[in-house]
Amino acid sequence: AVPASVAAQTSQPAAPLTFNVTYDPSVTGSFTGRVYVMTSKSAMGEPRFGPSWFNPQPFFAVDVKDWQPNTPLVLDDHAVNCGGPPSALPPGEYSVQAVMRINKDSSSIGQGAGTGYCAVVRQPLNGAESGAVKLRIDKIVEPEPIKETERIKHVEIPSKLLSEFHKRPMSLRATVVLPKGYNDHPSAKYPAMYWIGGFGSEGDTAEAGFMTRMWDGTGFGDRILRVVLDPSCYGGHHVFADSANNGPVGQALIQELIPHLEETYRLVPAPPSRFLSGHSSGSWSSLWLQVTYPDFFGGTWSVAPDPVDFRDFQQIDLYAPSTNMYVDPEGHKRPLARQDNDKVMIWYEDFAKMEVPYGEGGQLRSFEWVFSPRGPDGLPLSLYNRDTGEVYASVANAWKNYDIRMILEDRWDTLGPKLAGKIHVFMGDKDTFYLDGATKLLKQSMERIGSDAVIEIEPNKNHMSIATPALRKRIDQELLNVFIEHNPQYRFVETSAETQPH
């Protein structure tokens, strides 16, 4: 016979999965913000580093106000989710982690310094019957170490402009990569390449080290001082475009950070000695800065930029009547990313709805942080309805202020002479995120108005393969040609890697 106590336990109905989260007072005091439970079927790594764009695992989120330490918070089927509610979680072995998103300057869920999180819990789960899983947040993400070398230097200065806008202390950050031989030749002065990385870039010493290894391969590592700018913010990637939500980030770069760099690092403080380059969102940034400050910079070499013409925003015409982000006029699902053989890897609707529990800082939401007006709740207005995909025409109309092709066409009488010889854009015709369409439209527009802009569409290149060693070398050579042409008082000494006045 089965003992009565065991019989009572086995007769109880199974409870659906919920997550019972508390946090230790050592993490923070009263907390207002978003709390997440991240999951992964993989036993490797930590779920807080997700979600993966190409294979997002289920996660759940709730917003809290004045949550207190040691007070249980339950994430159940009322939580916003990616992959379905907790009660629908398929049976399996999962890694689980709870996260408090504390850092207001990081676009990441679980990696920003100061963020609270718990140790990974690895256990079998079944949404229909696992009951309450207890998670206790008692860890804090430490700041990434700044690893300077003889050539790589971290720069951080307070920004008066951004601090006044955000009403709290704000800084501008970058990493300087000194040319080879910089310290051996104290009289040498150099041109600067301002590099802006893509979405997720933080312009830190680790990124600068990676970029330095690539740049040194061009053969011009002794002639150009590189500045890896930090474009990261709570809303994602601010692209150095002044906006209603991110503030005067472009002005701060021009008026605060670059003058500091030129005073500190022996840069030639003149327009034909300041050059721009970048990739993806950073490529859009570089083109935007050149167009917005045509007299300040001497040229941009922009690689695989985000949409430069909003008539083809990853194949979507934002200005067309009754536009929908999720389906085309024939009712077909819209893709967001593809393989080189055109097989779809991500659908627009799936990705957009994955970003809903993510909150602020996702890639698509990042566009709204730059291009959209600020709403009454203090957050950017949404371009489209996240449930239906319907585009809000009034918001799309406001985005025209950031449509680079439109700005160039409308202001070409004034911009044309200032931008002569300064625009260079490179794009693959198999861009992973369908960014080639907008660049092709820009190329057509520039040809029509008589611009000398160099816009090249490379066959059989995707979002990453476009950035070849040959292209990097070409960019460096063309940059230096402009510098030498406009700065005849400087010459390069081949044997000493020094730039000296005659």
Side-chain angles (χ1 to χ4, degrees):
V2 178
S5 59
V6 175
Q9 292 176 22
T10 56
S11 65
Q12 292 178 353
L17 174 65
T18 61
F19 299 97
N20 187 314
V21 184
T22 58
Y23 70 95
D24 192 86
S26 63
V27 174
T28 188
S30 177
F31 175 68
T32 297
R34 184 158 287 203
V35 180
Y36 305 80
V37 172
M38 314 291 293
T39 78
S40 174
K41 284 197 170 183
S42 172
M44 305 295 290
E46 299 183 53
R48 67 183 172 93
F49 296 140
S52 162
W53 283 10
F54 297 96
N55 184 30
Q57 300 293 295
F59 68 101
F60 318 95
V62 295
D63 291 322
V64 297
K65 184 176 181 180
D66 300 327
W67 186 29
Q68 300 298 316
N70 299 318
T71 303
L73 172 70
V74 176
L75 279 77
D76 56 19
D77 283 8
H78 292 97
V80 289
N81 68 77
C82 169
S87 66
L89 192 72
E93 190 85 8
Y94 289 86
S95 295
V96 182
Q97 221 168 3
V99 179
M100 299 167 66
R101 191 170 170 191
I102 297 172
N103 189 317
K104 293 300 183 183
D105 292 319
S106 173
S107 63
S108 168
I109 288 177
Q111 299 183 67
T115 290
Y117 67 101
C118 73
V120 176
V121 174
R122 183 76 180 170
Q123 68 178 72
L125 293 176
N126 182 337
E129 60 184 40
S130 288
V133 173
K134 293 185 177 181
L135 303 169
R136 183 166 178 80
I137 297 172
D138 57 3
K139 302 180 184 302
I140 298 174
V141 176
E142 298 296 332
E144 287 291 323
I146 297 171
K147 298 180 179 179
E148 293 189 323
T149 68
E150 182 181 7
R151 292 180 59 200
I152 297 176
K153 305 298 179 184
H154 173 75
V155 176
E156 183 166 358
I157 64 169
S159 170
K160 181 180 179 182
L161 288 170
L162 294 178
S163 298
E164 288 177 350
F165 178 87
H166 291 284
K167 297 180 173 55
R168 61 186 178 89
M170 298 287 290
S171 297
L172 293 163
R173 293 177 296 275
T175 302
V176 170
V177 180
L178 300 175
K180 295 177 180 178
Y182 180 89
N183 293 322
D184 298 331
H185 306 285
S187 65
K189 292 188 177 181
Y190 299 88
M193 171 197 276
Y194 293 94
W195 168 266
I196 310 164
F199 188 84
S201 168
E202 296 183 350
D204 55 15
T205 54
E207 180 181 349
F210 172 76
M211 295 303 302
T212 300
R213 291 189 290 274
M214 292 199 297
W215 284 323
D216 283 352
T218 69
F220 299 106
D222 56 349
R223 301 184 175 193
I224 304 169
L225 187 146
R226 324 275 183 167
V227 180
V228 184
L229 297 172
D230 180 2
S232 64
C233 62
Y234 183 67
H237 191 300
H238 58 55
V239 299
F240 289 99
D242 296 347
S243 74
N245 303 291
N246 293 321
V249 286
Q251 293 180 51
L253 172 68
I254 302 302
Q255 298 176 23
E256 297 175 334
L257 183 56
I258 290 180
H260 170 80
L261 293 168
E262 290 180 343
E263 291 171 7
T264 308
Y265 289 103
R266 292 192 267 125
L267 293 167
V268 180
S273 307
R274 304 181 188 113
F275 303 102
L276 295 155
S277 190
H279 180 259
S280 196
S281 294
S283 175
W284 192 97
S285 311
S286 63
L287 186 57
W288 173 263
L289 286 168
Q290 183 64 71
V291 170
T292 307
Y293 303 96
D295 296 320
F296 190 82
F297 294 104
T300 184
W301 286 261
S302 306
V303 183
D306 284 350
V308 293
D309 186 330
F310 294 169
R311 296 172 302 172
D312 191 326
F313 197 89
Q314 295 173 289
Q315 298 191 306
I316 304 168
D317 183 352
L318 297 183
Y319 307 136
S322 304
T323 301
N324 190 289
M325 303 297 283
Y326 297 162
V327 295
D328 65 19
E330 287 72 44
H332 301 130
K333 291 173 62 177
R334 293 193 187 272
L336 182 63
R338 61 179 169 178
Q339 297 176 351
D340 290 351
N341 62 3
D342 287 329
K343 181 179 179 181
V344 174
M345 293 189 288
I346 305 175
W347 298 100
Y348 211 105
E349 181 175 5
D350 294 341
F351 194 84
K353 290 185 176 179
M354 179 269 287
E355 284 196 354
V356 173
Y358 191 113
E360 309 309 319
Q363 170 66 89
L364 301 182
R365 183 62 168 155
S366 180
F367 292 131
E368 292 168 333
W369 272 79
V370 180
F371 306 143
S372 288
R374 178 175 285 194
D377 61 355
L379 294 172
L381 293 178
S382 295
L383 173 67
Y384 55 98
N385 185 305
R386 291 308 197 267
D387 291 326
T388 66
E390 173 196 0
V391 171
Y392 302 125
S394 60
V395 179
N397 187 62
W399 278 35
K400 290 179 179 179
N401 292 323
Y402 298 93
D403 186 322
I404 292 178
R405 184 273 315 171
M406 183 175 289
I407 290 169
L408 286 169
E409 284 189 353
D410 291 348
R411 305 178 193 172
W412 191 246
D413 286 348
T414 10
L415 287 176
K418 297 179 178 182
L419 292 173
K422 293 184 177 182
I423 294 178
H424 314 80
V425 181
F426 307 95
M427 176 66 76
D429 72 347
K430 291 286 188 181
D431 186 83
T432 310
F433 300 101
Y434 301 96
L435 300 171
D436 49 302
T439 301
K440 291 173 183 175
L441 290 179
L442 178 65
K443 179 179 176 67
Q444 294 168 11
S445 173
M446 293 298 94
E447 290 173 349
R448 186 168 59 251
I449 63 179
S451 167
D452 66 355
V454 176
I455 302 176
E456 298 182 4
I457 311 296
E458 296 294 330
N460 301 314
K461 297 293 185 184
N462 62 33
H463 196 62
M464 300 305 295
S465 64
I466 182 67
T468 63
L471 180 58
R472 286 193 291 272
K473 184 172 183 176
R474 172 183 166 183
I475 290 171
D476 276 4
Q477 182 66 75
E478 292 182 358
L479 178 160
L480 286 168
N481 289 344
V482 175
F483 175 74
I484 293 167
E485 177 186 354
H486 291 90
N487 295 276
Q489 72 273 31
Y490 291 99
R491 65 185 176 86
F492 292 101
V493 181
E494 297 288 347
T495 55
S496 64
E498 183 176 350
T499 313
Q500 299 177 338
H502 279 298

